Amino acid sequence: MRRAVCPGSYDPATNGHLDIIERAASQFDEVVVAVLINKTKSYLFEVSDRMAMLKEITEHLPNIRVDSWHGLLVDYCTVNGIATIVKGLRAVSDFDYELQMAQLNYQLSGVDTMFLPSKPHYSYLSSSVVKEVATYGGNVGHLLPATVHQRLIARLSERP
Ligand code: PNS
């Protein structure tokens, strides 16, 4: 079975993430969308909420599984028999960091990374910019799956 992982923070998942997940799902037998937990980062959404949103937006894809992991991505791959990491590349500015991670991950474990170019109209899109625009009342409805958009508006309204 050809199995891949699409790792990320997904805080929250955007249309750009979903595009990469859908395209990975068409290339592999099974794709695990893994929410990676980094203790040093602060997140808007709990891991359980990020996973719930990912499950909702990937319901139409039968070969997707959603999971979470605390630790090195390559350890997750080894434990779960995953040989390939799939990452989206939005712009040249992503490349330096992603190349370093891909080379490091390969050196650590033999797990390879495949890059998918993001669609050009998603090249500026990130969870961070979406959160910032939405925090100040800007419209981000066209950048997110509908269910994620609803949850984002609800979550921001809970904050002081
Ligand atoms: O959505 P993000 O925040 O850009 O995702 C980054 C992520 C989670 C894919 C990356 O930080 C990661 O792989 N973290 C797991 C820890 C790890 O394996 N780091 C690489 C070696 S230092």
Side-chain angles (χ1 to χ4, degrees):
M1 180 182 268
R2 279 167 50 80
R3 198 179 278 131
V5 61
C6 286
S9 302
Y10 299 111
D11 188 44
T14 67
N15 285 341
H17 289 124
L18 183 56
D19 174 52
I20 297 296
I21 292 166
E22 285 173 338
R23 286 158 62 197
S26 74
Q27 298 288 337
F28 291 87
D29 299 315
E30 183 181 63
V31 173
V32 183
V33 182
V35 177
L36 270 292
I37 304 156
N38 181 342
K39 269 192 207 153
T40 64
K41 273 193 186 177
S42 63
Y43 299 102
L44 178 62
F45 290 96
E46 298 294 331
V47 178
S48 56
D49 291 328
R50 285 180 266 155
M51 290 178 70
M53 285 186 272
L54 285 164
K55 284 178 188 163
E56 286 164 4
I57 67 174
T58 58
E59 248 177 358
H60 60 296
L61 300 167
N63 60 334
I64 293 283
R65 191 158 58 82
V66 177
D67 203 358
S68 64
W69 181 254
H70 191 262
L72 286 181
L73 176 58
V74 291
D75 289 341
Y76 181 82
C77 293
T78 305
V79 168
N80 290 280
I82 293 172
T84 310
I85 298 164
V86 174
K87 301 293 290 284
L89 282 184
R90 291 167 297 194
V92 175
S93 50
D94 281 344
F95 184 74
D96 280 350
Y97 175 75
E98 293 297 347
L99 178 66
Q100 183 188 18
M101 284 302 114
Q103 290 170 328
L104 175 65
N105 286 334
Y106 184 78
Q107 194 277 327
L108 286 172
S109 65
V111 174
D112 237 322
T113 299
M114 291 188 187
F115 295 117
L116 288 176
S118 76
K119 288 183 179 162
H121 55 281
Y122 294 143
S123 62
Y124 61 90
L125 182 54
S126 70
S127 303
S128 304
V129 295
V130 163
K131 285 182 285 191
E132 183 160 350
V133 171
T135 297
Y136 294 107
N139 176 27
V140 291
H142 55 301
L143 304 175
L144 301 170
T147 177
V148 175
H149 185 228
Q150 285 158 13
R151 282 178 183 257
L152 177 63
I153 299 301
R155 178 75 188 92
L156 290 175
S157 72
E158 288 166 14
R159 292 202 311 189

